[in-house]
Amino acid sequence: MNTLNLIEPEKSDIVFKTMVFPDGQPHIKMDIASISNLNKKEPLKILTRLASPADLLMTLFIKNTLDYFEFEQVQLNVSYLLAARMDRVMLDGEPFSLKVIAGIINLAGFSKINIFDPHSEVATAVIEHAYTMSNHVFVKDALGNYFIKYQRSAFCLVSPDAGALKKIHKLAQFLQVDQVVECMKERDLKTGALTNFKTTTDNLGGQTCFIIDDICDGGGTFAGTAKMLKEKGAEKVVLVVSHGIFSKGTIIDFVDEIYTTDSYKKVEGVNCFPVSKYL
């Protein structure tokens, strides 16, 4: 399948240049010769991050341009989905942000949309022709890399909260891992404060605990969970997250090592894998 690759432009079948006008509007100029060489009846795939409103607007501009050139099937592969965490109205007076983003994307008329590890099933419910690309291969790669660097020892997968729990048992089945630790926390939606970290597991007996989740933003959930795991006897705590924002930096208390992808951005100082492999 031919691609227009915004994540790794050097791998794009359509050569292009991007810029931003002084008023902040993104703009793209595609090479006509590279477009002319493509069969417009075959599917064309756009690979992109939707990490900002500008990214979303750029994607719509690209789809509009490809429509003018009469490409019959344009597929969108999204490494990171803007507003995926706002998958409902959290508090009175706030928007259902994901529904708004979905409405905009739906207007573009993509033939198929693949989303890498979206926050919840709501994303594929409100975005038309959308499908989840799981984190399973990424997590397998992360664990494999860790055990190449360090001596293999007893380990478990950790779900840090109820949201992650929905995915982790399918992941455990894929990895053929029996040990899954379920954790819980309480969040004040008005203040964002996290409290009451707990788990049903009493003794982790020197195990390496791999916390698996989709997004790390400030890292508070993982610091609180890692502290609790070590109090239960965990020897090492490794964080594996598909999308690394790290708004408060990559040093997270009680976390010994971090794995992520460049789905949102390239992250320095941690094990950051190219997301292109998982798209």
Side-chain angles (χ1 to χ4, degrees):
M1 185 182 295
N2 294 312
T3 66
L4 194 157
N5 192 331
L6 289 170
I7 298 174
E8 297 176 306
E10 69 279 3
K11 296 182 179 179
S12 182
D13 294 301
I14 296 179
V15 179
F16 62 88
K17 293 181 179 180
T18 61
M19 63 171 290
V20 178
F21 288 124
D23 65 356
Q25 175 192 323
H27 187 65
I28 188 166
K29 176 70 174 178
M30 300 183 202
D31 177 67
I32 301 300
S34 61
I35 292 177
S36 300
N37 291 331
L38 302 180
N39 184 343
K40 295 171 185 176
K41 294 184 179 296
E42 293 183 0
L44 175 72
K45 179 168 60 178
I46 301 170
L47 283 74
T48 189
R49 301 176 175 98
L50 295 183
S52 70
D55 289 340
L56 177 58
L57 194 57
M58 176 68 84
T59 301
L60 299 177
F61 289 162
I62 291 169
K63 178 59 165 62
N64 175 265
T65 305
L66 296 174
D67 287 346
Y68 275 113
F69 282 100
E70 298 183 327
F71 282 90
E72 295 183 6
Q73 299 181 62
V74 180
Q75 176 178 314
L76 179 65
N77 280 28
V78 178
S79 68
Y80 177 87
L81 178 62
L82 181 70
R85 287 177 287 176
M86 299 295 288
D87 57 3
R88 63 191 186 279
V89 176
M90 303 292 183
L91 296 169
D92 289 344
E94 295 183 348
F96 184 174
S97 304
L98 178 56
K99 186 176 181 180
V100 175
I101 296 299
I104 296 170
I105 294 172
N106 290 341
L107 291 173
F110 290 101
S111 60
K112 183 178 182 180
I113 300 174
N114 292 317
I115 307 170
F116 176 56
D117 199 10
H119 183 66
S120 72
E121 295 175 349
V122 177
T124 52
V126 296
I127 299 176
E128 296 172 0
H129 312 298
Y131 301 85
T132 293
M133 305 181 79
S134 79
N135 66 343
H136 294 180
V137 176
F138 161 59
V139 176
K140 181 180 180 180
D141 288 349
L143 269 61
N145 179 274
Y146 183 84
F147 286 125
I148 287 173
K149 292 193 297 183
Y150 305 100
Q151 184 176 356
R152 192 176 182 91
S153 59
F155 72 95
C156 60
L157 305 181
V158 177
S159 167
D161 53 30
L165 184 60
K166 296 176 182 178
K167 301 177 182 178
I168 202 163
H169 287 291
K170 289 182 179 180
L171 172 64
Q173 184 177 17
F174 173 80
L175 297 174
Q176 297 183 326
V177 173
D178 296 326
Q179 290 287 93
V180 175
V181 175
E182 302 175 7
C183 299
M184 294 147 279
K185 69 177 188 293
E186 294 179 8
R187 181 191 296 272
D188 186 322
L189 290 178
K190 292 183 179 180
T191 66
L194 301 170
T195 58
N196 200 22
F197 291 89
K198 57 186 178 181
T199 180
T200 56
T201 302
D202 292 326
N203 186 356
L204 290 167
Q207 293 190 63
T208 298
C209 294
F210 291 93
I211 302 176
I212 313 295
D213 210 348
D214 60 323
I215 298 174
C216 179
D217 193 334
T221 291
F222 307 119
T225 301
K227 180 176 184 293
M228 177 194 61
L229 293 172
K230 289 194 170 179
E231 289 171 348
K232 299 284 186 180
E235 183 173 347
K236 297 287 186 181
V237 176
V238 181
L239 176 62
V240 183
V241 288
S242 300
H243 312 292
I245 299 174
F246 300 108
S247 58
K248 296 183 179 179
T250 56
I251 305 299
I252 300 176
D253 291 343
F254 307 102
V255 172
D256 298 292
E257 191 148 359
I258 296 173
Y259 285 85
T260 190
T261 76
D262 61 356
S263 64
Y264 177 77
K265 64 179 181 181
K266 176 67 176 175
V267 185
E268 302 294 337
V270 303
N271 302 285
C272 185
F273 294 174
V275 74
S276 56
K277 178 178 178 180
Y278 312 112
L279 294 178

